[in-house]
Amino acid sequence: MIRKRILVKGAVQGVGFRPFIYNLAASHALGGFVLNEPEGVRIEVEGNESSVEAFVDEIGSSAPPMARVTDIQCEAIALAGERTFAIRHSGGAGTRIVLIPPDLATCEDCLRELSDPRDRRYQYPFINCTNCGPRYTIIKAMPYDRAQTTMASFEMCPDCRAEYEDPTNRRFHAEPTCCPACGPKMSLMDPSGSDLASDDPIGEAKRRFARGEVLAIKGLGGFHLACDAGNESAVQRLRSRKHRDVKPFALMVRDVDAARNLVHGAAGNDAVDMALLASPQRPIVLMPKLSGHGLAEGVAPRSAEFGIMLPYTPLHHMLMDGQFDALVMTSGNFTDEPIAHTNEEALAQLGPMVDAILAHDRDIHIRTDDSVMRVTAGGPQFLRRSRGYAPFPIDIPVDTTGKEILAVGPELNNTVCLTRADGAFLSHHLGDLNNLAAYEGFLQAIDHMESVLDVTPKAIACDLHPGYLSTRYSRERGLPLVKVQHHHAHVASVMVEAGLTERVIGVSYDGMGWGEDDSPWGGEFMVADLGEFQRMAHLEPVAQPGGDAAAKRPPRMAYAYLHAALGEEAATISAKLMPEFAETEMPTIEQVIARGVNCPLTSSMGRLFDAASAVLGVCSYNSFHAQAPMELQAAAEQASAEQGTYEVAIRQAQSGASIVRTSQLIEQLALDFMSGTAVEVCAARFHNSVVELTLDICRQIRENMGLKTVALSGGVFANAFLTDRLVLSLERADFRTLLNREAPPGDGGISLGQAAAAAWRQSCV
Ligand code: ZN
Ligand code: ZN
Ligand code: FE
């Protein structure tokens, strides 16, 4: 006989871990107890040696699906003579949940009950258990128990209570558990909020979809706007009501087989994509469209991809169980507003856009958007990290206890990040802070995270940009400020994911980040450790006429590059390639550049892609973020096989930094296109040239500094065509490459990089 004391760390509370341990101990006939403690789950077991060993092995290997075990510590202790096993109650205040569980998709067991006519939760759209259902979105305060969630107003019936208190039951301490007798109810309203008093709201919603209606539907983290994706006129009606011209709509389909009728996986092998699609986090996954998909053209009119997700609530499963191949499920908002998450918001904001609203009376406390991912260079990449993942922490190589950091992120695509011990808790997607409602969400998220994590930050990490609302917030907060340059934050985000602190080559390509010289940067090569960086090379600074406004108008950048390369002659070429621009805006832009007023010099890779897109006539207006680069990528993907590159010179600046002559690149692109080369071929050559110039600079830095690890980050790396080729080229040239896998490479990952850089600087003092 032996007795062991075991501490299990990770996301092990609120995920059905104690009943799992209880049943595991019973199956090995062990005595002892299990208990939630602040650091994790504490277990003591007693029995014969081989049973105890087997028990310990199985803790890691067969833990419940929502649990993430990060560490198991064991020590032998004296026997206590216990024959039975108990779940002990961890009393009151000292026991906080270690990690807040994210929301997860309905599990297989619950789905089986949902479709079993003999089950008391048959066709009940709020079915859940300890392995699935809402968490983060309904938690108001910690510790996590029902009274602190939006389920508090629903009193459990005796049947639910009995399951909740039974340690062998799957619903033991499942805080949101409920049933038709005691839980929330669906309702169907007309756009003015009058109850349509349907006794079958879900069935009625399906009949309305079949008639081509547009409905608002309450999900886990907010409302969606939905319609039948096979109905062109319904899709067009949704587009015009939402004022969204071409930006693709997300789709929901029944299962993986239904997805396979619409898309194929990256690089011909769809195993990784489909696994991501079917994972319990249920992100939207972007995948290449199949021809003959049969859906309305208006779903994703100018995109080569569909964004697809599988049902993740019982309600979704019930809606998808019927006549539709796919439903459009786009976020329930008006253009740039945050997604509506209360019934009142839905009525006020979405009422005018829909024919009916399918809602319910379980409140959403924290609004979270769907996460968006794609497979890039063989692994998952986040475009937006939110529902299903937030607020799960990312490890940082510093214990910040007593020196906790709040990182407030950038202006657009904002997230915030709070550290506790050696975890960086990245918030859900908060959107563009220049939108008032999004800024309010930002303030609420900071409050909420400080409260549920029980952390008061001791310092704030922010961007260098003086005008960002997040930077202003951090100045007003009155705590010590740690400023982290935008592109260093991008690079630091990749480094920290990989657990690196020592110097690497950092390559950061994005639209814009404030530089140390107060100019807009965005095509940056650095030597960086986790805390500091040195700018080694960058793209040629080129006029950005009208400042931020130029980000909407790619032809302005095309003209600016051509002007930098060719001077006066730029006007002639622009007139040929961009006649509409030449007739309208060009005279003004010439003046703006000549006078240099409101015309900063930018080294942005995003603007370079804009320029290339405009030169080739692919896209002349960014109606949504990165539209022109995305359409350029789609053109390049149409080109067959290898296409060659353009020569790009590199010169030394007085500062010692190398400068990539990107104006020459745009000049060659324009001349090639005017000589009759196909758009697709030109677009591919442009991408190849960016790969080559990146490789050249990395080689140069390796020769000088002896570094061979390259960290790639920034929104441009969401371009899978570019990223796949670049990673391949770098690895062929014997570099080790790092990409973001846990946080987005775009600005949604900035707060993680800020937090990591700030924590590392503190630890080095
Ligand atoms: Zn379940
Ligand atoms: Zn009940
Ligand atoms: Fe950025």
Side-chain angles (χ1 to χ4, degrees):
M1 292 286 275
I2 59 166
R3 186 175 181 93
K4 278 198 170 168
R5 164 191 274 264
I6 303 159
L7 179 65
V8 187
K9 291 186 169 180
V12 289
Q13 299 180 5
V15 292
F17 206 79
R18 286 175 301 164
F20 156 70
I21 292 295
Y22 179 94
N23 288 321
L24 191 60
S27 74
H28 291 287
L30 301 176
F33 65 87
V34 57
L35 175 74
N36 276 345
E37 284 193 348
E39 316 91 274
V41 170
R42 167 74 60 198
I43 304 161
E44 289 190 14
V45 283
E46 181 166 335
N48 74 53
E49 188 166 353
S50 63
S51 301
V52 171
E53 299 300 339
F55 171 85
V56 173
D57 285 346
E58 286 172 41
I59 293 175
S61 63
S62 46
M66 272 182 74
R68 293 198 223 180
V69 174
T70 55
D71 191 23
I72 302 176
Q73 297 166 6
C74 282
E75 56 176 330
I77 54 170
L79 295 177
E82 266 177 310
R83 292 285 178 78
T84 57
F85 195 87
I87 295 178
R88 285 203 192 157
H89 278 280
S90 18
T95 50
R96 283 183 170 271
I97 268 194
V98 175
L99 295 177
I100 309 149
D103 302 272
L104 290 187
T106 314
C107 73
E108 291 298 324
D109 289 332
C110 285
L111 284 180
R112 212 169 299 120
E113 292 168 348
L114 184 69
S115 60
D116 177 358
R118 291 158 307 176
D119 193 275
R120 67 193 190 88
R121 293 186 180 87
Y122 176 59
Q123 297 292 291
Y124 180 56
F126 302 91
I127 188 168
N128 68 79
C129 71
T130 43
N131 297 323
C132 73
R135 297 287 187 278
Y136 183 53
T137 51
I138 61 165
I139 295 176
K140 290 178 167 174
M142 296 301 277
Y144 173 48
D145 63 32
R146 190 180 184 98
Q148 310 258 42
T149 71
T150 63
M151 283 299 291
S153 54
F154 300 96
E155 185 155 358
M156 270 184 243
C157 69
D159 288 343
C160 286
R161 167 74 53 194
E163 293 169 343
Y164 180 87
E165 287 171 354
D166 173 3
T168 64
N169 194 285
R170 198 170 93 248
R171 295 197 169 85
F172 177 71
H173 279 259
E175 304 303 340
T177 191
C178 57
C179 75
C182 66
K185 295 193 169 26
M186 299 300 306
S187 59
L188 191 69
M189 295 180 282
D190 76 6
S192 69
S194 305
D195 193 344
L196 291 169
S198 169
D199 30 338
D200 178 18
I202 297 172
E204 174 61 17
K206 285 158 78 170
R207 285 188 284 280
R208 284 169 177 260
F209 282 136
R211 291 204 297 266
E213 291 193 6
V214 173
L215 273 75
I217 294 180
K218 193 171 185 176
L220 261 186
F223 280 80
H224 286 113
L225 293 168
C227 70
D228 176 4
N231 184 329
E232 187 73 58
S233 68
V235 172
Q236 290 308 335
R237 204 155 43 241
L238 175 52
R239 281 210 176 275
S240 71
R241 290 181 187 171
K242 195 175 150 83
H243 288 241
R244 179 145 144 175
D245 295 340
V246 292
K247 189 177 178 186
F249 284 144
L251 297 170
M252 183 173 279
V253 300
R254 196 169 305 125
D255 51 25
V256 165
D257 287 340
R260 285 209 171 94
N261 293 330
L262 301 176
V263 290
H264 57 83
N269 169 11
D270 73 5
V272 185
D273 299 78
M274 296 303 169
L276 203 54
L277 195 64
S279 69
Q281 289 81 8
R282 293 287 154 100
I284 295 171
V285 183
L286 303 183
M287 288 180 276
K289 285 179 186 172
L290 287 179
S291 56
H293 52 73
L295 297 186
E297 271 312 303
V299 170
R302 291 171 66 164
S303 171
E305 295 177 315
F306 279 135
I308 297 194
M309 61 186 147
L310 299 188
Y312 55 84
T313 67
L315 169 61
H316 294 150
H317 283 282
M318 293 168 73
L319 285 171
M320 295 311 305
D321 175 25
Q323 61 264 60
F324 313 105
D325 292 332
L327 289 179
V328 166
M329 281 281 207
T330 184
S331 17
N333 57 4
F334 185 74
T335 48
D336 294 329
E337 296 279 318
I339 179 171
H341 74 299
T342 65
N343 292 2
E344 294 72 34
E345 275 176 2
L347 261 181
Q349 293 167 24
L350 310 182
M353 290 188 253
V354 299
D355 302 300
I357 300 172
L358 184 61
H360 56 71
D361 54 357
R362 184 180 73 203
D363 289 341
I364 297 168
H365 185 65
I366 290 290
R367 150 204 297 142
T368 55
D369 294 76
D370 293 315
S371 294
V372 185
M373 304 183 77
R374 98 145 52 78
V375 174
T376 302
Q381 180 189 49
F382 282 99
L383 303 175
R384 183 165 72 205
R385 181 186 185 271
S386 207
R387 177 190 48 76
Y389 299 92
F392 199 79
I394 293 152
D395 293 341
I396 52 175
V398 189
D399 184 351
T400 59
T401 304
K403 295 193 269 187
E404 291 86 357
I405 289 158
L406 170 67
V408 293
E411 178 92 339
L412 302 180
N413 274 315
N414 182 279
T415 59
V416 298
C417 185
L418 186 62
T419 72
R420 189 180 69 183
D422 57 358
F425 292 77
L426 190 56
S427 77
H428 53 290
H429 167 80
L430 299 169
D432 297 349
L433 299 189
N434 51 21
N435 176 289
L436 180 62
Y439 186 71
E440 285 165 356
F442 163 86
L443 298 177
Q444 187 202 12
I446 291 173
D447 272 357
H448 187 67
M449 287 182 66
E450 289 180 10
S451 136
V452 295
L453 292 168
D454 194 24
V455 163
T456 307
K458 311 301 182 297
I460 298 204
C462 67
D463 198 272
L464 295 185
H465 198 303
Y468 281 177
L469 287 168
S470 54
T471 309
R472 289 191 203 174
Y473 166 87
S474 51
R475 284 198 298 263
E476 285 159 14
R477 185 82 191 253
L479 291 169
L481 283 189
V482 187
K483 293 188 176 176
V484 182
Q485 198 278 328
H486 188 93
H487 302 97
H488 181 235
H490 275 309
V491 169
S493 75
V494 194
M495 291 182 71
V496 74
E497 283 187 26
L500 295 181
T501 59
E502 298 299 310
R503 291 196 308 175
V504 301
I505 301 169
V507 180
S508 186
Y509 290 162
D510 69 358
M512 201 283 273
W514 197 264
E516 290 185 314
D517 59 2
D518 291 345
S519 73
W521 292 4
E524 308 304 314
F525 297 84
M526 60 182 75
V527 166
D529 66 18
L530 195 53
E532 307 290 342
F533 78 102
Q534 188 188 352
R535 195 185 196 196
M536 303 299 287
H538 54 87
L539 304 191
E540 174 183 359
V542 167
Q544 183 170 332
D548 290 346
K552 287 255 179 235
R553 293 286 290 138
R556 287 194 190 183
M557 290 312 302
Y559 177 82
Y561 278 100
L562 290 170
H563 186 266
L566 301 163
E568 302 289 283
E569 213 189 314
T572 326
I573 295 188
S574 298
K576 285 194 185 124
L577 292 173
M578 306 177 290
E580 194 224 318
F581 165 79
E583 277 169 29
T584 54
E585 277 186 88
M586 195 167 75
T588 322
I589 297 305
E590 283 175 319
Q591 299 265 317
V592 170
I593 292 179
R595 292 195 193 134
V597 176
N598 193 16
C599 191
L601 295 177
T602 182
S603 58
S604 164
M605 181 60 88
R607 296 294 84 78
L608 182 71
F609 269 79
D610 280 351
S613 196
V615 159
L616 299 179
V618 170
C619 180
S620 60
Y621 186 77
N622 276 322
S623 70
F624 59 90
H625 179 69
Q627 180 181 354
M630 279 159 69
E631 293 183 359
L632 187 69
Q633 175 192 343
E637 279 164 353
Q638 301 302 311
S640 51
E642 286 303 309
Q643 303 292 345
T645 60
Y646 304 116
E647 289 295 315
V648 186
I650 294 166
R651 69 177 171 82
Q652 292 304 123
Q654 281 178 339
S655 65
S658 300
I659 297 189
V660 184
R661 296 295 306 278
T662 41
S663 58
Q664 288 180 344
L665 173 54
I666 294 296
E667 177 193 350
Q668 291 173 75
L669 179 74
L671 296 178
D672 192 21
F673 184 51
M674 287 197 297
S675 77
T677 308
V679 171
E680 295 78 14
V681 175
C682 292
R685 286 179 182 167
F686 172 80
H687 279 80
N688 293 342
S689 309
V690 173
V691 169
E692 284 301 312
L693 73 86
T694 310
L695 187 60
D696 285 349
I697 300 272
C698 289
R699 281 202 168 107
Q700 204 180 66
I701 298 175
R702 179 167 64 186
E703 272 166 35
N704 294 335
M705 316 287 291
L707 302 170
K708 56 180 290 189
T709 297
V710 182
L712 304 167
S713 187
V716 171
F717 294 106
N719 179 331
F721 184 84
L722 175 75
T723 306
D724 287 351
R725 287 174 178 225
L726 179 56
V727 167
L728 200 64
S729 298
L730 284 167
E731 290 183 349
R732 275 191 193 139
D734 219 20
F735 285 97
R736 176 186 176 208
T737 56
L738 304 173
L739 293 172
N740 289 101
R741 296 299 186 195
E742 295 185 65
D747 282 6
I750 283 287
S751 64
L752 172 66
Q754 290 172 339
W760 187 248
R761 275 189 223 167
Q762 281 185 350
S763 77
C764 294
V765 185

